[in-house]
Amino acid sequence: MLDAVRGTLEREGMLLVQDAKLPSLVTIVAGEAIRGSWWGHAKSEAIFGIIQAIEDDPDVARFKVLDGKVALVHRALWSALACVGRAQEPWQMRDLGPFAEALLTRVDGGERVQETGPHVKELERRLLVVGDQKHVETGEHRTELVSWKVFAKAHDVSLRRRSTAKAKAELEEVRDRWAEQTGKRAKLPWDG
């Protein structure tokens, strides 16, 4: 099953963790679309195992890029995501809360920040930062936020100058292909 997930990621460029209509890891592993939580499904242990394994893959990272949901994104699209994320276009910066702005300033300054809360999700959904789930000593989950520059350096991602419009088009191509196949058009963060 892990090979099927990896193959889909390499072919498609990204894969939602869970969605009832769009391509998702949960659907591949379960063999059917699951509405609601997959934890109660008969294949929940297999799903959890594949999620753990794929998140350890150095060519896969998690981003909130479609419908605000977690998507597994193959390395081939990281440069496009970084270009969009670093652009800080009006859709990304408009009405950003003061706490989120302060966090963004710290992260853009090179700091790794572990946080939780709506401001973290806001920054992730706008692609302004890269978030990674961490377990802390208390047993809580926290999101470690880093800048695209820090992420790019750690993962050898090109930040070469390119058009933000072209970078968006790469991601829109995946979304549009899925819309043709499934009849569901997912929203990218800049779709509003």
Side-chain angles (χ1 to χ4, degrees), residues 58-61 75 78 130 149-158:
D59 291 330
V60 178
R75 173 180 292 280
W78 292 355
V130 178
K149 185 176 181 180
V150 168
F151 176 83
K153 186 175 181 180
H155 297 284
D156 195 30
V157 174
S158 172

Side-chain angles (χ1 to χ4, degrees), residues 109-164:
E111 201 175 326
R112 291 178 176 267
V113 180
Q114 286 190 2
E115 264 303 335
T116 60
H119 45 277
V120 171
K121 292 177 182 177
E122 183 178 10
L123 292 173
E124 285 183 292
R125 276 194 306 267
R126 295 174 188 224
L127 301 178
L128 288 166
V129 298
V130 178
D132 187 22
Q133 291 291 314
K134 301 283 184 187
H135 281 281
V136 294
E137 289 180 18
T138 62
E140 294 177 302
H141 281 98
R142 293 206 177 255
T143 302
E144 182 176 77
L145 303 175
V146 298
S147 69
W148 282 102
K149 185 176 181 180
V150 168
F151 176 83
K153 186 175 181 180
H155 297 284
D156 195 30
V157 174
S158 172
L159 293 178
R160 72 184 192 279
R161 291 275 180 210
R162 65 200 227 159
S163 155
T164 304

Side-chain angles (χ1 to χ4, degrees), residues 52-102:
Q52 294 290 309
I54 204 70
E55 287 180 349
D56 289 339
D57 188 318
D59 291 330
V60 178
R62 298 168 58 119
F63 300 97
K64 291 186 178 171
V65 68
L66 289 170
D67 287 341
K69 294 180 178 183
V70 175
L72 303 167
V73 181
H74 190 270
R75 173 180 292 280
L77 290 176
W78 292 355
S79 183
L81 276 172
C83 180
V84 173
R86 294 180 72 209
Q88 296 192 354
E89 292 184 325
W91 64 267
Q92 291 172 289
M93 305 306 290
R94 188 178 305 113
D95 300 323
L96 197 60
F99 195 77
E101 280 184 17

Side-chain angles (χ1 to χ4, degrees), residues 25-26 29-30 34 38 41 43-51:
L25 178 147
V26 169
V29 178
I34 298 174
W38 54 265
H41 193 274
K43 294 187 178 177
S44 62
E45 287 184 31
I47 293 167
F48 182 74
I50 297 294
I51 289 172

Side-chain angles (χ1 to χ4, degrees), residues 8-9 11-19 21-25 28 65-67 69-73 77 171-188:
T8 301
L9 271 166
R11 186 176 59 257
E12 297 292 335
M14 69 176 100
L15 184 65
L16 286 164
V17 171
Q18 181 176 4
D19 192 272
K21 283 196 167 194
L22 297 174
S24 77
L25 178 147
I28 292 170
V65 68
L66 289 170
D67 287 341
K69 294 180 178 183
V70 175
L72 303 167
V73 181
L77 290 176
L171 300 163
E172 289 166 351
E173 182 181 317
V174 175
R175 187 260 328 262
D176 294 346
R177 185 174 56 246
W178 289 1
E180 287 177 18
Q181 295 168 357
T182 66
K184 180 181 177 184
R185 185 178 172 87
K187 281 188 171 187
L188 289 158

